[in-house]
Amino acid sequence: MDKVYNTVEAAVEDVFDGAVIAFGGFFSAGRPAGLTKALAKRNVKDLTIVLQQVGPGNEEILDLVTNGQIRKAICNYPFPRSASKGADHPFEQAVKKGEIALEVFPMGTFVEKLRCAGAGLPAFYTPTGVGTVVAEGKEVRVFNGREALLELALTVDFTFVHAWKGDREGNLIYHDTAQNYNTAMAMAGAITIAEVEFLHAVGDLNGNGIHTPGIFVKRVVETGRPDLEIADI
Amino acid sequence: MSATKKIIVPEIPPIEREMIALRIANMLEDGSYVNLGIGIPTLVSNWIEGRDINLQSEIGMLKCGPLAEDEEIEQDRINASCEFVMELPGSSYFDIGTSFAMIRGGHIDVAVLGALQVSASGDLAGWNNPARGMGAVGNIGGSMDLAVGAKKVIVAMDHVTVDGKAKILTECTYSLTAKACVDVIVTNYALIEVTPEGLVLKEAIDGVTAEDVQNMTAAPLIIADDFKEMEF
């Protein structure tokens, strides 16, 4: 079952207006930069993007913002760390002006919403966020004497992940902390597209070390090892 | 006492941030799993070399090593503050779902977190400074999960804001990270424990009295029977 696409452009060709797209990556590590750049060249709009943060450490996402392609973002650490950097930041200012809607979840809740979507669980309860703004409008239940919030799974139309090694059937191995959200997001996408640094023949990768089994991946495209980037967050 | 209480900062200069980190490092037990937040908490890592303390980074790394420089840098190996770090013997990597199973699941012994405000009942406000003007959204990151999930939460922060306002209050006025989660507060002037009876002042830095600490704190302090000078 060969899933290889020859170019990032071909791999994202069917992303449609209004699509919900998850992007792997944690600041500079494990970002699907090639797929993201290809998406920014396409005339699709009203996108909902699901990712840790917009801009610091993953500057290619900003092209989608400045192109006006984003309607909504779902994040857990959306802005630059310092308020002074945020004052000049196109995403933070677009949120402030109401041009882009923003929903923020605690990091553990954010990743679990994606994992649950991939695992067929419509919702889950978590003690995180009880008694905070995160709890507003959400059902609270007591388990073993402790309050917990009902959080819903987050299904996405497309997921872009970045892996270190992949084979032609979509088995993926991530490298060090570049794994981060890629694993959970790969499960959550109706169509998960993996850019890989090194593409291998089927049978080359040891089955004991696969992080994302190929069943979760629809497309694979080889993009090479990115250059070292030092992100200022 | 309210947040508008007049705050008087003593003439004795505060200790450096590195010393807050050292005081906290001395509280950590060997064999523990510890998560360090952004800011002063990160400095704790400078004081634990050679000790059996395992740092967990929420990006998905256990036994997170010291900062990497030059040829030690591996582009795919960063901590949750986006700094390049080194591996240690026994380091492991995992996905963020597993990372937060560790955090929420009660497997982390201690989380050291920064704070904007802490209340008398141990409420923590650390993620949304209203001065930024972003309303109800901001950089939550892993802070809410850590505050709720770690067995012990130690706050590391300056005792008052840069413009001289109290950070330890009867009630927090900023958006909360979690309610009643803080166990110990270590500042550049004092060490305070959160107890069911209230805030107990255990230690103050050399030359600073219990009264001095109360004068910079907008919540009432109970002076511990064994109140003493902070040692390092």
Side-chain angles (χ1 to χ4, degrees):
Chain A
M1 196 188 295
D2 195 286
K3 300 177 181 176
V4 172
Y5 281 56
N6 289 328
T7 65
V8 284
E9 287 78 13
V12 303
E13 203 172 41
D14 59 347
V15 175
F16 48 84
D17 287 351
V20 180
I21 310 168
F23 300 77
F26 188 115
F27 295 126
S28 60
R31 303 133 45 218
L35 293 167
T36 307
K37 286 174 185 163
L39 185 67
K41 286 194 264 174
R42 285 208 43 221
N43 182 27
V44 283
K45 56 184 189 303
D46 293 328
L47 302 174
T48 294
I49 56 173
V50 180
L51 73 177
Q52 174 173 275
Q53 86 285 342
V54 180
N58 59 351
E59 263 65 25
E60 63 278 356
I61 291 283
L62 284 179
D63 290 342
L64 301 173
V65 173
T66 50
N67 292 347
Q69 292 173 277
I70 310 297
R71 182 175 61 81
K72 181 178 178 182
I74 301 173
C75 303
N76 68 71
Y77 197 95
F79 305 133
R81 190 188 295 172
S82 74
S84 56
K85 273 191 199 147
D88 300 324
H89 198 269
F91 174 70
E92 184 163 331
Q93 295 313 306
V95 170
K96 204 168 197 171
K97 288 182 207 147
E99 294 163 0
I100 295 177
L102 172 64
E103 204 172 356
V104 178
F105 292 94
M107 192 167 157
T109 301
F110 174 90
V111 73
E112 198 63 16
K113 286 167 72 70
L114 292 155
R115 199 195 67 82
C116 280
L121 303 173
F124 60 98
Y125 286 96
T126 174
T128 303
V130 168
T132 77
V133 292
V134 168
E136 284 174 12
K138 290 174 187 165
E139 181 193 326
V140 177
R141 253 183 87 172
V142 177
F143 297 91
N144 304 318
R146 193 179 191 200
E147 289 184 322
L149 302 181
L150 183 68
E151 295 280 7
L152 306 181
L154 174 54
T155 315
V156 299
D157 299 309
F158 295 90
T159 288
F160 296 177
V161 296
H162 179 96
W164 179 39
K165 297 177 182 177
D167 71 18
R168 303 185 71 92
E169 295 188 344
N171 293 304
L172 303 178
I173 301 172
Y174 308 104
H175 190 229
D176 293 4
T177 59
Q179 178 171 181
N180 57 67
Y181 299 103
N182 286 298
T183 326
M185 286 180 171
M187 295 167 66
I191 295 174
T192 289
I193 309 167
E195 59 168 60
V196 301
E197 295 177 12
F198 302 101
L199 180 63
H200 290 259
V202 174
D204 270 8
L205 301 179
N206 184 331
N208 287 300
I210 303 294
H211 293 120
T212 293
I215 193 170
F216 294 116
V217 178
K218 295 281 194 293
R219 301 170 192 168
V220 179
V221 56
E222 189 175 32
T223 53
R225 179 113 174 120
D227 295 333
L228 171 68
E229 287 179 43
I230 298 176
D232 182 12
I233 63 165
Chain B
M1 277 175 273
S2 73
T4 54
K5 177 192 146 164
K6 172 101 176 97
I7 293 302
I8 305 162
V9 177
E11 286 177 14
I12 305 275
I15 56 171
E16 299 291 327
R17 294 179 156 208
E18 286 76 8
M19 299 306 283
I20 301 177
L22 172 58
R23 181 66 193 87
I24 292 170
N26 290 341
M27 295 165 70
L28 302 177
E29 290 177 22
D30 282 329
S32 57
Y33 290 96
V34 177
N35 182 295
L36 303 176
I38 289 174
I40 302 173
T42 304
L43 300 173
V44 173
S45 62
N46 297 338
W47 299 104
I48 59 170
E49 198 183 331
R51 292 190 57 196
D52 182 20
I53 292 171
N54 303 283
L55 296 182
Q56 194 257 18
S57 183
E58 57 265 41
I59 189 174
M61 184 174 185
L62 204 53
K63 294 198 80 169
C64 189
L67 296 183
E69 287 173 7
D70 303 325
E71 67 279 1
E72 297 162 347
I73 288 175
E74 157 52 54
Q75 68 191 72
D76 291 333
R77 189 188 309 129
I78 60 173
N79 64 18
S81 300
C82 199
E83 297 162 323
F84 295 108
V85 291
M86 295 177 60
E87 273 183 338
L88 296 169
S91 290
S92 59
Y93 302 101
F94 35 86
D95 79 289
I96 290 180
T98 304
S99 180
F100 279 79
M102 294 176 189
I103 290 168
R104 262 190 332 260
H107 307 282
I108 301 292
D109 296 300
V110 180
V112 185
L113 300 173
L116 298 168
Q117 297 178 331
V118 181
S119 83
S121 56
D123 296 351
L124 168 62
W127 68 277
N128 190 344
N129 189 336
R132 190 156 179 163
M134 298 308 294
V137 292
N139 290 340
I140 298 174
S143 63
M144 288 192 182
D145 298 283
L146 284 159
V148 163
K151 287 183 198 156
K152 181 174 185 175
V153 172
I154 301 174
V155 162
M157 66 176 191
D158 291 337
H159 204 96
V160 300
T161 66
V162 283
D163 52 352
K165 292 200 173 64
K167 297 182 67 162
I168 303 172
L169 312 163
T170 305
E171 293 290 341
C172 294
T173 58
Y174 294 173
S175 193
L176 291 186
T177 305
K179 289 182 79 70
C181 61
V182 177
D183 296 288
V184 183
I185 308 164
V186 182
T187 76
N188 48 358
Y189 284 100
L191 187 152
I192 295 168
E193 284 184 1
V194 183
T195 75
E197 289 73 41
L199 299 176
V200 176
L201 176 60
K202 301 279 287 184
E203 301 175 11
I205 63 167
D206 184 18
V208 168
T209 67
E211 187 185 0
D212 290 334
V213 178
Q214 180 65 79
N215 285 339
M216 343 178 235
T217 307
L221 297 175
I222 301 163
I223 300 167
D225 293 338
D226 58 350
F227 171 70
K228 61 181 170 70
E229 181 187 320
M230 190 182 288
E231 291 175 355
F232 301 95

